[in-house]
Amino acid sequence: MSAKPIRINSLRAFFAAARFRTLAAAAVPVAAGCALAAADGLFAWPQAVLCMAFALLMQVDANLINDLYDFLKGSDDGERLGPPRACAMGWVTTGAMRRAIAVTTVAASLVGCGLLRYGGWELLLLGALCVVFAFLYTAGPFPLAYHGWGDLLVLLFFGLVPVGGTYYVMAHGLTRWILPVAGACGLVVDTLLLVNNYRDRAEDARSGKRTLVVRLGAAAGSRLYLWAGIGACLLCLALALRGAWFAALLPTAYLAAHVTTWRRMVRIGSGRALNGILAATSRNMLLFGVLLALGLLL
């Protein structure tokens, strides 16, 4: 039996555009920041809830923005290999998507304002940067994702910013241990972007989207995917220097799943079958996040 058609601008259409399956990418670094604060005896529930809500709303906001502007730039068409996009499929009109983006941006900003009581202007600046770069990723005259900057932005906004920001609003200060935790989270989340770009490399090249995989080639792209996961585990080993042996060693259990997924990705090579690798990568990322957070708490 065929799936029920999605009505234009329906709630189901907006749910599809929000891509809730990607929310683990936002949750993992916030959870790691919370675990690091808890390990230092500084965890606080109000800040944790606000940080998680802000991160999840910003992830949805970024997904909606990408859906709209990839469609407007012609990157998403009927030949798309990845999961269908709402605007490209005609499920959501561009006007309705702009309104949804405005509502989500305002909602995220209001949640972010709740964090201002735990810091000063620096939190306002950090929140503003999150909103601005959510748009600059695919919108504007120089969309950063189209010029090979996507991976760096992932390292910053799914690594340093959420881990450091979450820790800061609880501790009212920073620690050097944020760097290996943030770097590890950023690299693991980047595996999601890398497998997406590996799958879409031919389509991206046709539409002028010069991702790292397009610039360096498929073989280099697959190696980047492999080493991003390995690099995350290597960064965790630095936590042994603070005596956090569980946090240093538990995440290495992720490597077996990561390497297995990488081998499948290389074997498949191209086509829609790589969507299965995307799903496996998301599960691997979540596994890594759980192991790292558990290790920090232990």
Side-chain angles (χ1 to χ4, degrees):
M1 182 180 294
S2 60
K4 184 179 179 180
I6 297 178
R7 290 188 294 108
I8 295 176
N9 295 339
S10 64
L11 191 60
R12 184 182 171 199
F14 284 107
F15 278 0
R19 287 186 282 157
F20 290 120
R21 291 182 180 179
T22 68
L23 295 187
V28 163
V30 173
C34 288
L36 183 59
D40 290 340
L42 300 166
F43 178 79
W45 276 108
Q47 293 96 307
V49 171
L50 286 170
C51 285
M52 186 64 75
F54 178 76
L56 296 178
L57 282 168
M58 283 306 308
Q59 177 66 48
V60 170
D61 201 27
N63 288 343
L64 299 180
I65 293 167
N66 294 347
D67 194 302
L68 173 64
Y69 285 96
D70 279 341
F71 170 68
L72 293 177
K73 294 177 186 300
S75 298
D76 288 343
D77 54 29
E79 297 181 8
R80 175 175 169 78
L81 296 175
R85 295 285 186 88
C87 284
M89 297 297 293
W91 297 338
V92 176
T93 63
T94 56
M97 186 64 84
R98 291 183 194 276
R99 290 190 291 273
I101 290 168
V103 169
T104 311
T105 302
V106 169
S109 299
L110 289 175
V111 170
C113 286
L115 288 164
L116 294 180
R117 63 183 296 186
Y118 305 108
W121 63 268
E122 67 279 5
L123 293 182
L124 188 62
L125 175 61
L126 197 63
L129 287 175
C130 291
V131 173
V132 168
F133 277 94
F135 281 90
L136 293 181
Y137 186 76
T138 49
F142 190 84
L144 296 172
Y146 284 66
H147 294 84
W149 292 93
D151 301 273
L152 177 60
L153 292 180
V154 166
L155 294 177
L156 288 174
F157 290 98
F158 289 87
L160 189 60
V161 170
V163 174
T166 300
Y167 186 92
Y168 181 81
V169 297
M170 296 182 187
H172 306 292
L174 298 171
T175 172
R176 67 181 182 274
W177 303 110
I178 287 170
L179 293 176
V181 173
C185 289
L187 285 172
V188 163
V189 175
D190 194 42
T191 60
L192 275 177
L193 179 63
L194 286 166
V195 71
N196 264 306
N197 291 343
Y198 181 82
R199 179 199 61 212
D200 296 339
R201 60 191 185 273
E203 179 185 348
D204 287 343
R206 287 195 303 271
S207 62
K209 192 173 184 179
R210 305 287 293 170
T211 65
L212 275 184
V213 179
V214 170
R215 290 175 181 272
L216 301 177
S222 69
R223 288 194 293 271
L224 283 173
Y225 175 91
L226 173 65
W227 281 100
I230 294 173
C233 292
L234 291 176
L235 283 173
C236 288
L237 293 178
L239 295 170
L241 296 175
R242 68 173 261 163
W245 286 100
F246 284 111
L249 297 176
L250 271 181
T252 59
Y254 150 89
L255 279 179
H258 176 65
V259 172
T260 299
T261 303
W262 169 73
R263 286 175 173 167
R264 286 178 52 209
M265 183 178 84
V266 174
R267 187 164 60 249
I268 294 169
S270 62
R272 287 189 171 83
L274 286 171
N275 288 329
I277 302 301
L278 179 64
T281 299
S282 183
R283 291 192 296 270
N284 296 346
M285 176 191 65
L286 190 57
L287 171 64
F288 179 90
V290 169
L291 292 172
L292 176 57
L294 181 61
L296 287 167
L297 293 173
L298 291 174

